[in-house]
mmCIF file of all heavy atoms in Angstrom:
data_model
loop_
_atom_site.group_PDB
_atom_site.id
_atom_site.type_symbol
_atom_site.label_atom_id
_atom_site.label_comp_id
_atom_site.label_asym_id
_atom_site.label_seq_id
_atom_site.Cartn_x
_atom_site.Cartn_y
_atom_site.Cartn_z
ATOM 1 N N ILE O 1 51.780 95.329 -47.566
ATOM 2 C CA ILE O 1 53.175 94.858 -47.649
ATOM 3 C C ILE O 1 54.156 95.896 -47.054
ATOM 4 O O ILE O 1 55.388 95.802 -47.193
ATOM 5 C CB ILE O 1 53.601 94.603 -49.147
ATOM 6 C CG1 ILE O 1 53.404 95.752 -50.026
ATOM 7 C CG2 ILE O 1 52.737 93.359 -49.581
ATOM 8 C CD1 ILE O 1 54.020 95.615 -51.478
ATOM 9 N N ASN O 2 53.714 97.001 -46.376
ATOM 10 C CA ASN O 2 54.535 97.967 -45.687
ATOM 11 C C ASN O 2 53.723 98.465 -44.593
ATOM 12 O O ASN O 2 52.550 98.394 -44.468
ATOM 13 C CB ASN O 2 55.050 98.988 -46.661
ATOM 14 C CG ASN O 2 53.842 99.838 -47.199
ATOM 15 O OD1 ASN O 2 53.082 100.488 -46.458
ATOM 16 N ND2 ASN O 2 53.702 99.740 -48.617
ATOM 17 N N GLU O 3 54.511 99.083 -43.562
ATOM 18 C CA GLU O 3 53.938 99.494 -42.304
ATOM 19 C C GLU O 3 52.966 100.686 -42.471
ATOM 20 O O GLU O 3 51.984 100.584 -41.820
ATOM 21 C CB GLU O 3 55.153 99.959 -41.406
ATOM 22 C CG GLU O 3 54.800 100.247 -39.985
ATOM 23 C CD GLU O 3 54.204 99.096 -39.172
ATOM 24 O OE1 GLU O 3 54.440 97.900 -39.561
ATOM 25 O OE2 GLU O 3 53.394 99.293 -38.296
ATOM 26 N N GLU O 4 53.240 101.681 -43.376
ATOM 27 C CA GLU O 4 52.387 102.745 -43.511
ATOM 28 C C GLU O 4 51.057 102.297 -43.966
ATOM 29 O O GLU O 4 49.981 102.677 -43.449
ATOM 30 C CB GLU O 4 52.869 103.811 -44.357
ATOM 31 C CG GLU O 4 52.044 105.070 -44.613
ATOM 32 C CD GLU O 4 52.594 106.116 -45.463
ATOM 33 O OE1 GLU O 4 53.855 106.319 -45.518
ATOM 34 O OE2 GLU O 4 51.740 106.570 -46.268
ATOM 35 N N ASP O 5 51.011 101.473 -44.975
ATOM 36 C CA ASP O 5 49.701 100.947 -45.520
ATOM 37 C C ASP O 5 48.932 100.014 -44.399
ATOM 38 O O ASP O 5 47.807 100.064 -44.316
ATOM 39 C CB ASP O 5 49.953 100.173 -46.684
ATOM 40 C CG ASP O 5 50.198 100.973 -48.014
ATOM 41 O OD1 ASP O 5 50.054 102.215 -47.960
ATOM 42 O OD2 ASP O 5 50.589 100.446 -49.042
ATOM 43 N N TYR O 6 49.668 99.242 -43.729
ATOM 44 C CA TYR O 6 49.138 98.498 -42.739
ATOM 45 C C TYR O 6 48.399 99.269 -41.605
ATOM 46 O O TYR O 6 47.261 99.008 -41.230
ATOM 47 C CB TYR O 6 50.179 97.648 -42.038
ATOM 48 C CG TYR O 6 49.720 96.780 -40.898
ATOM 49 C CD1 TYR O 6 48.855 95.651 -41.130
ATOM 50 C CD2 TYR O 6 50.012 97.103 -39.558
ATOM 51 C CE1 TYR O 6 48.356 94.962 -40.047
ATOM 52 C CE2 TYR O 6 49.512 96.358 -38.455
ATOM 53 C CZ TYR O 6 48.652 95.230 -38.740
ATOM 54 O OH TYR O 6 48.265 94.541 -37.726
ATOM 55 N N ARG O 7 49.068 100.337 -41.123
ATOM 56 C CA ARG O 7 48.561 101.115 -40.156
ATOM 57 C C ARG O 7 47.264 101.806 -40.590
ATOM 58 O O ARG O 7 46.311 101.975 -39.927
ATOM 59 C CB ARG O 7 49.581 102.180 -39.702
ATOM 60 C CG ARG O 7 50.700 101.589 -38.950
ATOM 61 C CD ARG O 7 51.601 102.669 -38.354
ATOM 62 N NE ARG O 7 52.761 102.087 -37.614
ATOM 63 C CZ ARG O 7 52.777 101.938 -36.420
ATOM 64 N NH1 ARG O 7 51.743 102.321 -35.681
ATOM 65 N NH2 ARG O 7 53.781 101.494 -35.730
ATOM 66 N N ARG O 8 47.237 102.332 -41.899
ATOM 67 C CA ARG O 8 46.156 102.978 -42.343
ATOM 68 C C ARG O 8 44.898 102.043 -42.680
ATOM 69 O O ARG O 8 43.828 102.308 -42.393
ATOM 70 C CB ARG O 8 46.496 103.685 -43.760
ATOM 71 C CG ARG O 8 45.409 104.516 -44.396
ATOM 72 C CD ARG O 8 45.850 105.630 -45.336
ATOM 73 N NE ARG O 8 46.455 106.709 -44.685
ATOM 74 C CZ ARG O 8 47.798 107.079 -44.869
ATOM 75 N NH1 ARG O 8 48.554 106.578 -45.708
ATOM 76 N NH2 ARG O 8 48.302 108.177 -44.100
ATOM 77 N N ALA O 9 45.274 100.889 -43.152
ATOM 78 C CA ALA O 9 44.246 99.947 -43.394
ATOM 79 C C ALA O 9 43.542 99.415 -42.190
ATOM 80 O O ALA O 9 42.417 98.999 -42.121
ATOM 81 C CB ALA O 9 44.832 98.672 -44.197
ATOM 82 N N CYS O 10 44.295 99.389 -41.076
ATOM 83 C CA CYS O 10 43.681 99.058 -39.767
ATOM 84 C C CYS O 10 42.545 100.024 -39.267
ATOM 85 O O CYS O 10 41.819 99.690 -38.433
ATOM 86 C CB CYS O 10 44.697 98.918 -38.658
ATOM 87 S SG CYS O 10 45.741 97.414 -38.964
ATOM 88 N N THR O 11 42.597 101.156 -39.890
ATOM 89 C CA THR O 11 41.485 102.119 -39.567
ATOM 90 C C THR O 11 40.257 101.915 -40.457
ATOM 91 O O THR O 11 39.256 102.553 -40.207
ATOM 92 C CB THR O 11 42.061 103.617 -39.686
ATOM 93 O OG1 THR O 11 42.178 103.860 -41.151
ATOM 94 C CG2 THR O 11 43.321 103.820 -38.951
ATOM 95 N N PHE O 12 40.412 101.101 -41.472
ATOM 96 C CA PHE O 12 39.210 100.866 -42.308
ATOM 97 C C PHE O 12 38.162 99.983 -41.575
ATOM 98 O O PHE O 12 38.381 99.097 -40.793
ATOM 99 C CB PHE O 12 39.610 100.249 -43.597
ATOM 100 C CG PHE O 12 40.387 101.070 -44.471
ATOM 101 C CD1 PHE O 12 41.038 100.452 -45.640
ATOM 102 C CD2 PHE O 12 40.693 102.317 -44.340
ATOM 103 C CE1 PHE O 12 41.883 101.206 -46.499
ATOM 104 C CE2 PHE O 12 41.527 103.127 -45.165
ATOM 105 C CZ PHE O 12 42.080 102.463 -46.268
ATOM 106 N N PRO O 13 36.900 100.220 -41.930
ATOM 107 C CA PRO O 13 35.813 99.252 -41.417
ATOM 108 C C PRO O 13 35.695 97.988 -42.276
ATOM 109 O O PRO O 13 34.778 97.681 -42.848
ATOM 110 C CB PRO O 13 34.511 100.129 -41.557
ATOM 111 C CG PRO O 13 34.835 100.929 -42.899
ATOM 112 C CD PRO O 13 36.300 101.241 -42.829
ATOM 113 N N ILE O 14 36.721 97.209 -42.082
ATOM 114 C CA ILE O 14 36.769 95.939 -42.961
ATOM 115 C C ILE O 14 35.859 94.867 -42.411
ATOM 116 O O ILE O 14 35.640 94.681 -41.213
ATOM 117 C CB ILE O 14 38.325 95.535 -42.792
ATOM 118 C CG1 ILE O 14 38.412 94.319 -43.905
ATOM 119 C CG2 ILE O 14 38.584 95.072 -41.476
ATOM 120 C CD1 ILE O 14 40.011 94.127 -44.169
ATOM 121 N N ARG O 15 35.358 94.092 -43.393
ATOM 122 C CA ARG O 15 34.509 92.940 -43.075
ATOM 123 C C ARG O 15 35.338 91.921 -42.295
ATOM 124 O O ARG O 15 34.828 91.189 -41.443
ATOM 125 C CB ARG O 15 33.926 92.409 -44.309
ATOM 126 C CG ARG O 15 33.019 91.192 -44.061
ATOM 127 C CD ARG O 15 32.255 90.879 -45.439
ATOM 128 N NE ARG O 15 33.017 90.428 -46.410
ATOM 129 C CZ ARG O 15 32.709 90.227 -47.742
ATOM 130 N NH1 ARG O 15 31.590 90.708 -48.071
ATOM 131 N NH2 ARG O 15 33.438 89.789 -48.645
ATOM 132 N N GLY O 16 36.533 91.731 -42.777
ATOM 133 C CA GLY O 16 37.422 90.614 -42.117
ATOM 134 C C GLY O 16 38.465 91.067 -41.360
ATOM 135 O O GLY O 16 38.351 91.699 -40.169
ATOM 136 N N ARG O 17 39.762 91.001 -41.777
ATOM 137 C CA ARG O 17 40.838 91.328 -41.095
ATOM 138 C C ARG O 17 41.939 91.893 -41.886
ATOM 139 O O ARG O 17 41.937 91.840 -43.230
ATOM 140 C CB ARG O 17 41.467 90.131 -40.354
ATOM 141 C CG ARG O 17 41.986 89.151 -41.247
ATOM 142 C CD ARG O 17 42.371 87.798 -40.545
ATOM 143 N NE ARG O 17 43.024 86.795 -41.495
ATOM 144 C CZ ARG O 17 42.432 86.053 -42.397
ATOM 145 N NH1 ARG O 17 41.123 86.060 -42.501
ATOM 146 N NH2 ARG O 17 43.169 85.305 -43.179
ATOM 147 N N VAL O 18 42.882 92.632 -41.339
ATOM 148 C CA VAL O 18 44.089 93.250 -42.050
ATOM 149 C C VAL O 18 45.355 92.433 -41.647
ATOM 150 O O VAL O 18 45.523 92.130 -40.551
ATOM 151 C CB VAL O 18 44.223 94.644 -41.663
ATOM 152 C CG1 VAL O 18 45.480 95.360 -42.449
ATOM 153 C CG2 VAL O 18 43.018 95.484 -42.037
ATOM 154 N N GLU O 19 46.221 92.176 -42.712
ATOM 155 C CA GLU O 19 47.342 91.458 -42.401
ATOM 156 C C GLU O 19 48.524 92.095 -43.066
ATOM 157 O O GLU O 19 48.280 92.944 -44.058
ATOM 158 C CB GLU O 19 47.382 89.970 -43.010
ATOM 159 C CG GLU O 19 46.292 89.164 -42.485
ATOM 160 C CD GLU O 19 46.688 88.439 -41.244
ATOM 161 O OE1 GLU O 19 47.805 88.681 -40.637
ATOM 162 O OE2 GLU O 19 45.962 87.548 -40.691
ATOM 163 N N LYS O 20 49.790 92.001 -42.608
ATOM 164 C CA LYS O 20 50.899 92.484 -43.269
ATOM 165 C C LYS O 20 51.901 91.394 -43.570
ATOM 166 O O LYS O 20 52.206 90.521 -42.683
ATOM 167 C CB LYS O 20 51.648 93.636 -42.358
ATOM 168 C CG LYS O 20 52.766 94.319 -43.158
ATOM 169 C CD LYS O 20 53.360 95.401 -42.300
ATOM 170 C CE LYS O 20 54.451 94.760 -41.519
ATOM 171 N NZ LYS O 20 55.385 95.779 -40.833
ATOM 172 N N ILE O 21 52.406 91.292 -44.821
ATOM 173 C CA ILE O 21 53.428 90.421 -45.138
ATOM 174 C C ILE O 21 54.786 91.104 -45.656
ATOM 175 O O ILE O 21 54.637 92.292 -45.894
ATOM 176 C CB ILE O 21 52.994 89.366 -46.221
ATOM 177 C CG1 ILE O 21 52.647 90.212 -47.581
ATOM 178 C CG2 ILE O 21 51.675 88.640 -45.683
ATOM 179 C CD1 ILE O 21 52.363 89.256 -48.703
ATOM 180 N N SER O 22 55.825 90.351 -45.703
ATOM 181 C CA SER O 22 57.047 90.850 -46.204
ATOM 182 C C SER O 22 57.146 90.999 -47.710
ATOM 183 O O SER O 22 58.112 90.589 -48.251
ATOM 184 C CB SER O 22 58.202 90.112 -45.681
ATOM 185 O OG SER O 22 58.129 89.968 -44.181
ATOM 186 N N GLY O 23 56.198 91.624 -48.310
ATOM 187 C CA GLY O 23 56.222 91.836 -49.752
ATOM 188 C C GLY O 23 55.980 90.528 -50.546
ATOM 189 O O GLY O 23 55.367 89.649 -50.058
ATOM 190 N N VAL O 24 56.427 90.569 -51.810
ATOM 191 C CA VAL O 24 56.150 89.330 -52.617
ATOM 192 C C VAL O 24 57.237 88.292 -52.324
ATOM 193 O O VAL O 24 57.257 87.170 -52.940
ATOM 194 C CB VAL O 24 56.099 89.624 -54.060
ATOM 195 C CG1 VAL O 24 54.834 90.586 -54.317
ATOM 196 C CG2 VAL O 24 57.305 90.363 -54.618
ATOM 197 N N GLY O 25 58.309 88.682 -51.583
ATOM 198 C CA GLY O 25 59.320 87.695 -51.230
ATOM 199 C C GLY O 25 60.483 87.792 -52.253
ATOM 200 O O GLY O 25 60.281 88.059 -53.451
ATOM 201 N N ILE O 26 61.638 87.319 -51.940
ATOM 202 C CA ILE O 26 62.855 87.179 -52.939
ATOM 203 C C ILE O 26 63.504 85.918 -52.506
ATOM 204 O O ILE O 26 63.807 85.749 -51.261
ATOM 205 C CB ILE O 26 63.585 88.580 -52.781
ATOM 206 C CG1 ILE O 26 64.726 88.538 -53.921
ATOM 207 C CG2 ILE O 26 64.109 88.831 -51.502
ATOM 208 C CD1 ILE O 26 65.398 89.809 -54.110
ATOM 209 N N GLN O 27 64.090 85.336 -53.480
ATOM 210 C CA GLN O 27 64.906 84.070 -53.214
ATOM 211 C C GLN O 27 66.236 84.536 -52.726
ATOM 212 O O GLN O 27 67.003 85.259 -53.482
ATOM 213 C CB GLN O 27 65.019 83.282 -54.571
ATOM 214 C CG GLN O 27 65.568 81.909 -54.373
ATOM 215 C CD GLN O 27 64.718 80.970 -53.460
ATOM 216 O OE1 GLN O 27 63.525 80.935 -53.594
ATOM 217 N NE2 GLN O 27 65.410 80.399 -52.434
ATOM 218 N N VAL O 28 66.582 84.112 -51.620
ATOM 219 C CA VAL O 28 67.946 84.316 -50.948
ATOM 220 C C VAL O 28 68.690 83.083 -50.898
ATOM 221 O O VAL O 28 68.264 82.147 -50.248
ATOM 222 C CB VAL O 28 67.819 84.919 -49.588
ATOM 223 C CG1 VAL O 28 69.060 85.240 -48.987
ATOM 224 C CG2 VAL O 28 66.944 86.218 -49.600
ATOM 225 N N ASN O 29 69.710 82.942 -51.737
ATOM 226 C CA ASN O 29 70.538 81.725 -51.761
ATOM 227 C C ASN O 29 71.849 81.851 -50.976
ATOM 228 O O ASN O 29 72.285 82.991 -50.598
ATOM 229 C CB ASN O 29 70.858 81.290 -53.132
ATOM 230 C CG ASN O 29 71.433 82.326 -53.968
ATOM 231 O OD1 ASN O 29 72.530 82.841 -53.652
ATOM 232 N ND2 ASN O 29 70.815 82.663 -55.076
ATOM 233 N N VAL O 30 72.505 80.750 -50.543
ATOM 234 C CA VAL O 30 73.578 80.751 -49.762
ATOM 235 C C VAL O 30 74.777 81.454 -50.466
ATOM 236 O O VAL O 30 75.515 82.339 -49.845
ATOM 237 C CB VAL O 30 74.016 79.315 -49.378
ATOM 238 C CG1 VAL O 30 75.378 79.362 -48.661
ATOM 239 C CG2 VAL O 30 72.950 78.724 -48.727
ATOM 240 N N GLU O 31 74.842 81.288 -51.760
ATOM 241 C CA GLU O 31 76.149 81.828 -52.488
ATOM 242 C C GLU O 31 75.987 83.379 -52.549
ATOM 243 O O GLU O 31 77.012 83.934 -52.303
ATOM 244 C CB GLU O 31 75.909 81.381 -53.991
ATOM 245 C CG GLU O 31 77.094 82.049 -54.872
ATOM 246 C CD GLU O 31 76.912 81.552 -56.291
ATOM 247 O OE1 GLU O 31 76.785 80.350 -56.500
ATOM 248 O OE2 GLU O 31 77.019 82.281 -57.223
#
């Protein structure tokens, strides 16, 4: 969920793949 962890995880010998998302998300309303 952040750039530093993503870059480090990309160096791991992972069975599958590494993804990065924008955290758990937050509801943003118009008001």
